Amino acid sequence: MTDETGTTPSRRALIGWGGAGLALGAAAAGGAAAALGGGADDTETVADSGAAVPFHGAHQAGIATAVQDRLHFAAFDVTTDDRAELIALLKEWTKAAARMTQGHAVGGGAVSDLAEAPPDDTGEALGLKASRLTLTIGFGPTLFTDKKGKDRFGIADRRPEALIDLPAFPGDNLDAARSDGDLCVQACADDPQVAVHAIRNLARIGMGKVAIRWSQLGFGKTSSTTPDAQTPRNMMGFKDGTRNIAGTDTAALDKHVWVSGKAGPAWLAGGSYLVARRIRMHIETWDRTSLKEQEDVFGRDKGEGAPQGRQHERDEPNLKAMLPTAHVRLAHPDSNGGARILRRGYSFTDGTDGLGRLDAGLFFLAYQRDVRDGFVPVQRRLARTDALNEYIQHVGSAIFAVPPGVRDADDWWGRALFS
Amino acid sequence: MRAARTSVVAAISALATITAVAGCAQKSDAKDSDAVQVTASDDACEVSKTSFPAGHVKLAVENKGSKVTEVYVYAPGDRIVTERENIGPGTSASISAEIKTGSYEIACKPGMKGHGIRQKVSATGKGAAAKRDPRLDKAVAAYRAYTQQQADETLPVAQKFADAVKKDDLEGAKKLYAPSRVGWERTEPVAESFGDIDPKVDVREDGLEKGQKWTGWHRLEKSLWQTKKITAADHDLADQLIKDLKDWQKRVGTADITPTGMANGAKELLDEVQTGKVTGEEERYSHTDLVDFEGNVEGAETSYKLLKPVASANDPELAKELDKQFAAVVKLLDKYREGEGFVSYDTVTESKRKELSDAVNALAEPLSRLAAAVVTK
């Protein structure tokens, strides 16, 4: 980090930044293969530009978009049973999201002309740049059929087959108050205030129709969708997610992330499936684990991040050089019949728990074309044999179908599902 | 209980000014010939002039009737500008006050009861009075009557509660505790605007300032439910509570109530629910939070209903939403009714509390837009 932030950028690099911003936009909007240009500084420099990521496009922004620094993820319960009301809310949310992602305030702004009334926008993002804010919506299984089996919105028959109720995995210790949800919104931005502002305003607009069920703040992205950038470290100090699907690799995205028109319901074509897991790390016990064991658990060295037996971070791993229980070995596509997922997780720390232990870990977010041959088999294998399990626990879980992008100003989140 | 509110906080300073002036009629620099002559009888209230210059105004009252009377000067919305009680038959009294440009009413109340016999008057002078919507003046006057009525009805119940405490009747006092608070809870934003009374009657232990003696309802709540013993000190606290509530009853009519203040007061009542009742903090010993909850909601709904004619003309969608969300909260509260009151709040689970909180949010959010909707376009 010090190398990257401490260096004064050259003029050439400065010129490069603007270009990177545009390229990102193109990637988000059309999924076009847009090269990010060389250099490990790209994500950072784009962040500094405060650029806006286009809201409209074939896919929702916030999936293939180069991962921003900060996250506010919120899961909502829909509290109304009225289909028209839900649709009206989705339209209103879309309008607000389109404004906020472009750096504009909601509705009449943060300062209204009437002193006695609260302004439309909550105001904490006033004067801040768009900061590459993306807002990505997902629909949970309970939106289609609620927990009592009721088809509240007349869409039960539109529930995709792949939107399964996730099976119980060994070692799970899931808290219902941090799991599930009828809807989710993932807000990613390079400025935490911008991400929080977005969720807060959507929640406010939604009151009476939806209520926040749980939410999670994240920082320090733990995986990269930009292959030329250094892989960030997780809270255990390791680089994890090096082999992630790149946001620019359209072939891999089409194969592993985007739902095709043939494979799923038509309303979801161009969308994806999202699995969210709150993974608590037993930080204190990890910190007193020997370096050798730490490296064996991951199957990487801690300093460079190279797979065991290799030199560099991105060298092709030699799985056989790792312990059979090593995390990298078990998670690798070669161990899972080629299954690949696009990870977009963030570190979190919510202070300390009642015992003074750091309440920290990984808020795991993964996008994939089908969870049944994406997250599920990989997690099954990990839950059973991963050496890392001694130091982690899955404490929250949710799954969502993520609709395709909002095409233009007349389109809205979920239009194809509700039309 | 909270610190004084901004929306109705003006009451405190206004009151200070009025009492100071009303109490020193002798120092008036208005000449007697300039005074407004008020001739009160058992069935009339005559004034010598209906228009006078704004500023220091003196009323020379003469009671020619057979009943003891009192004379009030009301600003629009029935805010008491000044008043004089106990003017006996055949006696005279002098009242003075600082009166700003605008319309007022002078009322004589033979027998010291009721709405009074009223005369419209106006204070004239520099700066035209702001244009006023008579529908909103009516709403404010009706709301002021409501706050007075709530205070009037609270006193006898509070007296019974105090009597039970003084008789060491633990169970009797417990039953009367929550009902004695309802009138206060319904009109809390106005009640709290009396920054000197509120900390005496409704403060919780953690709200005490250093050196402040803990008095009022919640101190007695702790004795009744936690230590389960009534002491001699509690007898004195019961007397003190009644004394402070009488002070409230006497002064409630002077609160500065405006239409937007009413609208925001309604929202503040929901804030009270959200921050104090839903969490179970308000009634931590008695767990009667749902009684307060209902009182706050009823008070908010009263404000809203009074403002609704204007609000629904300006923003029909908002009025529709508010009707719906008030009904939803009341329906949800109905689930918890038990006997004449509600179930003990410690029996309400976290997930049920969240459901209540969500319903309060669903109501309070549109309610926060009521003030904008009552401002005349």
Side-chain angles (χ1 to χ4, degrees):
Chain A
M1 285 298 285
T2 46
D3 284 353
E4 290 157 25
T5 51
T7 311
T8 309
S10 68
R11 192 163 169 273
R12 179 187 288 270
L14 276 166
I15 294 165
W17 295 2
L22 292 172
L24 274 166
L36 278 168
D41 291 354
D42 276 335
T43 306
E44 192 131 20
T45 54
V46 172
D48 285 350
S49 78
V53 176
F55 180 71
H56 297 112
H59 308 293
Q60 287 196 75
I63 303 171
T65 309
V67 181
Q68 302 91 325
D69 286 338
R70 304 292 183 132
L71 169 80
H72 191 183
F73 186 94
F76 295 84
D77 288 326
V78 180
T79 51
T80 178
D81 285 352
D82 185 333
R83 181 184 157 107
E85 242 181 31
L86 174 61
I87 289 171
L89 170 68
L90 290 169
K91 287 180 180 171
E92 213 180 325
W93 265 8
T94 308
K95 210 193 291 173
R99 285 190 60 83
M100 289 191 288
T101 53
Q102 303 313 301
H104 304 304
V106 170
V111 188
S112 58
D113 51 5
L114 187 64
E116 289 95 341
D120 285 349
D121 187 283
T122 55
E124 73 274 28
L126 202 61
L128 298 179
K129 293 175 182 170
S131 306
R132 294 198 302 137
L133 172 70
T134 54
L135 292 165
T136 315
I137 198 170
F139 302 137
T142 45
L143 187 72
F144 298 87
T145 318
D146 72 12
K147 288 259 158 78
K148 290 172 189 155
K150 198 170 142 199
D151 177 11
R152 292 184 292 166
F153 307 110
I155 52 172
D157 59 350
R158 297 195 158 202
R159 175 172 172 173
E161 241 180 75
L163 187 64
I164 56 169
D165 295 313
L166 287 174
F169 297 100
D172 278 4
N173 183 23
L174 304 181
D175 177 359
R178 287 188 192 274
S179 297
D180 304 326
D182 297 331
L183 297 171
C184 75
V185 178
Q186 170 197 284
C188 297
D190 291 319
D191 183 330
Q193 184 121 334
V194 170
V196 169
H197 168 263
I199 293 295
R200 176 171 161 194
N201 279 272
L202 294 182
R204 187 176 174 214
I205 290 168
M207 276 176 189
K209 291 123 209 154
V210 295
I212 287 206
R213 181 180 173 84
W214 55 272
S215 82
Q216 182 67 54
L217 293 173
F219 64 92
K221 57 183 185 261
T222 57
S223 52
S224 167
T225 49
T226 43
D228 296 330
Q230 278 218 37
T231 305
R233 291 174 189 276
N234 64 18
M235 291 294 281
M236 289 171 156
F238 275 77
K239 293 181 179 179
D240 187 22
T242 308
R243 303 285 297 176
N244 205 14
I245 296 173
T248 48
D249 186 348
T250 45
L253 290 171
D254 283 338
K255 188 167 174 204
H256 299 290
V257 177
W258 305 129
V259 175
S260 77
K262 292 173 208 155
W267 70 264
L268 196 58
S272 190
Y273 293 95
L274 168 63
V275 171
R277 306 279 287 187
R278 187 175 192 267
I279 306 174
R280 175 91 188 261
M281 292 173 177
H282 304 313
I283 297 288
E284 289 78 8
T285 54
W286 175 258
D287 289 346
R288 28 186 190 257
T289 302
S290 73
L291 177 62
K292 180 172 188 309
E293 185 179 339
Q294 289 187 2
E295 292 185 336
D296 283 348
V297 163
F298 271 95
R300 283 184 188 282
D301 79 59
K302 197 167 187 177
E304 170 64 25
Q308 281 181 333
R310 303 288 188 201
Q311 294 295 308
H312 304 291
E313 181 191 335
R314 293 183 191 279
D315 287 350
E316 193 59 40
N318 175 10
L319 299 184
K320 287 186 182 140
M322 301 169 191
L323 292 180
T325 56
H327 181 70
V328 166
R329 180 168 177 170
L330 291 166
H332 198 274
D334 289 356
S335 304
N336 295 286
R340 290 183 76 189
I341 51 185
L342 187 156
R343 277 164 296 170
R344 229 180 184 280
Y346 285 82
S347 287
F348 72 84
T349 174
D350 293 337
T352 40
D353 66 14
L355 300 174
R357 302 178 303 187
L358 202 61
D359 182 2
L362 169 65
F363 189 65
F364 174 93
L365 292 168
Y367 288 90
Q368 61 245 277
R369 184 177 171 154
D370 194 328
V371 289
R372 292 168 300 182
D373 51 30
F375 174 76
V376 171
V378 177
Q379 181 54 24
R380 255 208 189 108
R381 178 173 303 271
L382 289 173
R384 211 176 293 139
T385 39
D386 189 356
L388 197 53
N389 291 337
E390 196 180 331
Y391 302 100
I392 61 170
Q393 191 168 47
H394 287 232
V395 294
S397 176
I399 182 171
F400 302 94
V402 177
V406 175
R407 284 182 311 206
D408 51 43
D410 297 324
D411 197 8
W412 43 277
W413 272 338
R415 183 183 52 80
L417 171 60
F418 287 97
S419 299
Chain B
M1 180 270 169
R2 281 224 207 149
R5 312 309 195 112
T6 46
S7 59
V8 273
V9 74
I12 302 155
S13 51
L15 182 84
T17 318
I18 290 160
T19 44
V21 177
C24 56
Q26 297 311 315
K27 288 181 194 165
S28 165
D29 49 6
K31 292 183 202 107
D32 277 2
S33 56
D34 294 337
V36 180
Q37 309 290 326
V38 181
T39 312
S41 65
D42 292 351
D43 50 14
C45 185
E46 287 164 12
V47 294
S48 60
K49 44 186 156 184
T50 55
S51 178
F52 44 81
H56 204 94
V57 175
K58 188 172 170 186
L59 304 181
V61 182
E62 198 180 355
N63 183 2
K64 289 189 171 172
S66 64
K67 295 175 186 169
V68 63
T69 194
E70 53 190 354
V71 173
Y72 284 75
V73 178
Y74 288 114
D78 277 7
R79 181 169 72 87
I80 301 169
V81 176
T82 185
E83 50 96 20
R84 182 70 172 264
E85 294 172 47
N86 284 316
I87 305 169
T91 63
S92 298
S94 172
I95 314 170
S96 63
E98 290 295 331
I99 295 180
K100 290 181 192 160
T101 307
S103 304
Y104 296 86
E105 284 183 335
I106 292 174
C108 305
K109 297 190 182 180
M112 298 191 8
K113 271 191 270 185
H115 184 67
I117 304 159
R118 299 197 180 201
Q119 296 287 345
K120 284 188 167 36
V121 295
S122 59
T124 56
K126 280 178 208 156
K131 265 193 186 172
R132 304 184 64 100
D133 181 336
R135 294 173 304 170
L136 292 176
D137 281 346
K138 202 177 141 197
V140 169
Y143 184 69
R144 187 182 303 285
Y146 173 75
T147 60
Q148 186 66 58
Q149 181 205 347
Q150 292 304 314
D152 293 349
E153 289 175 4
T154 292
L155 257 297
V157 189
Q159 187 65 59
K160 275 191 198 167
F161 169 66
D163 290 346
V165 170
K166 291 178 76 176
K167 279 186 282 181
D168 293 324
D169 175 6
L170 193 75
E171 288 311 309
K174 277 178 160 184
K175 282 199 189 79
L176 287 159
Y177 170 76
S180 77
R181 294 174 43 75
V182 169
W184 179 273
E185 290 294 325
R186 282 179 182 151
T187 60
E188 211 164 358
V190 174
E192 284 181 356
S193 72
F194 301 104
D196 55 339
I197 304 176
D198 185 45
K200 287 195 251 177
V201 303
D202 198 30
V203 71
R204 299 193 298 258
E205 192 168 13
D206 46 353
L208 290 173
E209 303 212 5
K210 200 169 178 231
Q212 184 186 346
K213 186 175 181 257
W214 190 16
T215 59
W217 272 302
H218 294 299
R219 176 67 194 88
L220 291 166
E221 181 203 1
K222 189 176 182 183
S223 293
L224 297 176
W225 273 274
Q226 204 182 46
T227 57
K228 299 186 175 77
K229 216 160 70 188
I230 296 172
T231 63
D234 291 333
H235 295 178
D236 295 341
L237 286 170
D239 282 338
Q240 181 66 40
L241 176 65
I242 297 302
K243 194 171 157 250
D244 293 332
L245 290 177
K246 279 184 174 160
D247 188 20
W248 164 52
Q249 181 190 22
K250 187 168 154 55
R251 282 158 57 187
V252 69
T254 62
D256 187 9
I257 299 173
T258 62
T260 50
M262 271 172 75
N264 284 326
K267 180 204 74 87
E268 283 163 11
L269 281 163
L270 271 294
D271 294 347
E272 288 284 336
V273 175
Q274 188 65 271
T275 56
K277 278 75 177 190
V278 161
T279 56
E281 277 173 72
E282 178 86 16
E283 304 291 358
R284 62 189 62 169
Y285 310 113
S286 64
H287 305 301
T288 53
D289 302 88
L290 289 172
V291 179
D292 294 5
F293 188 138
E294 185 184 42
N296 287 161
V297 171
E298 284 173 342
E301 192 164 20
T302 300
S303 284
Y304 164 58
K305 289 269 165 70
L306 291 172
L307 295 170
K308 195 177 159 183
V310 176
S312 60
N314 288 343
D315 190 345
E317 280 301 310
L318 178 68
K320 214 173 109 191
E321 182 69 14
L322 285 171
D323 285 340
K324 188 179 136 187
Q325 298 300 347
F326 267 115
V329 167
V330 169
K331 197 177 157 196
L332 193 56
L333 267 177
D334 284 346
K335 284 191 186 176
Y336 299 97
R337 284 188 201 282
E338 189 180 77
E340 286 181 8
F342 289 92
V343 301
S344 181
Y345 199 59
D346 57 349
T347 66
V348 179
T349 61
E350 272 304 312
S351 66
K352 294 289 173 198
R353 288 180 185 201
K354 181 171 189 297
E355 193 180 24
L356 287 163
S357 171
D358 287 345
V360 170
N361 274 336
L363 170 58
E365 190 59 34
L367 201 52
S368 73
R369 301 202 299 271
L370 182 60
V374 300
V375 174
T376 312
K377 283 176 183 171

